[in-house]
Amino acid sequence: MEIQSIGPNEFLSIDGPASVRVIDGRLYVLGVEYGPGSSFTVMRGRRIIAKSLSECKIETVLGPDGKIETINGANEVIDIWDKALSTIRLRNSTVVVMGAMDVGKTTVTTILVNKGVKEGLKVGVIDGDPGQNDIGPPTTISASIATSFITHLTQLRNLRSIFVKTTSIEHVWDYVLNSMTKIVNELWHNYNVDAVVINTDGWISEENAIKFKLELTRRTGANHVVVIKRGDESTDLLKELMKIAVNVITIPSPPNARVRDRDDRKIRREMGYSKYLMPSRELNVNLREKPIVNLPLFNGLRYDNYITRLIRRSLNMAIHYIEQWRGAAVAIGNVKDFQIRNIGGVNIAILPMNWERGLLVALEDRDNYLLSLGVLRKIYYNTGKAVISVPKTFINEGLVDHIRLGMIRVNDNYEEVEKVLYINRIESLLSSQNILENSN
Ligand SMILES: Nc1ncnc2c1ncn2[C@@H]1O[C@H](COP(=O)(O)OP(=O)(O)OP(=O)(O)O)[C@@H](O)[C@H]1O
Ligand SMILES: [Mg+2]
């Protein structure tokens, strides 16, 4: 523990883990004035900039790697952000925060949440970044309601999550769009919030990324978009946003932001899976009663031995299981990699043995909201049952309506070992034959 005095209008850079208590004076942090007796924490791996509004005396406790230092505020963005964000009237507004990776989206979301709380509003918050989600587990978009000041979105209780199958939005942006719209509506209509703030992922420069961000703005009825600009990364996005009826506020990214590389992000996600799923237990699910929505095994047509033999001969491989729905079929065959073959006008998706092992899945309710994440261990084709690892604490088995396959394979240590992109190809194949319901 350390006690420190700071002059007025000084800037502090605080690297977590750290906790700070104001003894005397006033400290401005993420849109909030902390006065005598109040305190806040900075999480591990995060940096928060504070500004003293008067002579201050603070007490700090630093964890390993925690650090606190006064910095030259000449390049600091606190005041610029504050001025720009104070032009937003939050009541009855939906605000979307956009920008590339590491520009401060989550931080700006936090500031907006605090500003709403300061106005006495019930603020709906959506973390729409399935890669680095701070409200719910990775692979979801998650929502919460804030009624008190925070320094990190992780301090918010997860109210609602929708599983979007993967952490890379570019493969599932259509589904994410539907899910975000749905969860925004839910916050307005079922939770009676006074404002909604949406944090987004860092995918902004490809054509589809821009299309996604524009549609998100339109479909959620957002009236303000905050774009955090670093270099010319967001130029194309800004150009398109200017064409639609939304108030666009552009702010600079902080000069000293901590950058997280791919490995950092992956490790953080893996910690997210294990924190969520461990300790775990095994759940037996009858897939005839609780089907896999994006691969509805056991409700199609089974062949007799004669036809199976013909198919086996025609494909020239051993087939362990095969099932057909109209013009599409799924087989478990002796292949190394996923493939689609055509026999007599029927497209057969052939999956390798053990294709399911370690696949991240969601157990969902009838409205497609997440009840629990799980890891698929095995499917028994003779009985139609699946074994899924779920958190030991999961008790809502009775509410499970169906299972949704994800596109990430994890090993026993919850490390991501494969992005299983063929799940999308199976879905397209089955959708093209009208076999899958349009969910969401
Ligand atoms: N004004 C600032 N000065 C220095 N560092 C900052 C400032 N604001 C935020 N940071 C730090 O910069 C890092 C990136 O910020 P943040 O997580 O808000 O960005 P992001 O755009 O959400 O990143 P991601 O792409 O990972 O979602 C974080 O460690 C954050 O604590
Ligand atoms: Mg973020």
Side-chain angles (χ1 to χ4, degrees), residues 45-49 76-78 81 99-108 129 132 152 199-200 202 228 254-260 265:
R46 294 283 166 152
R47 176 174 298 159
I48 284 179
I49 308 296
E76 259 321 310
V77 292
I78 286 191
W81 279 12
M101 259 194 256
D102 291 313
V103 294
K105 298 179 296 296
T106 302
T107 308
V108 169
D129 184 352
Q132 306 291 315
H152 298 289
N199 179 34
T200 61
I228 311 170
N256 310 311
R258 272 194 166 183
V259 175
R260 287 187 284 191
R265 288 168 186 273

Side-chain angles (χ1 to χ4, degrees), residues 151 344 380 412 417 426-427:
T151 39
Y380 292 95
D412 291 345
V417 288
I426 296 175
E427 282 184 28

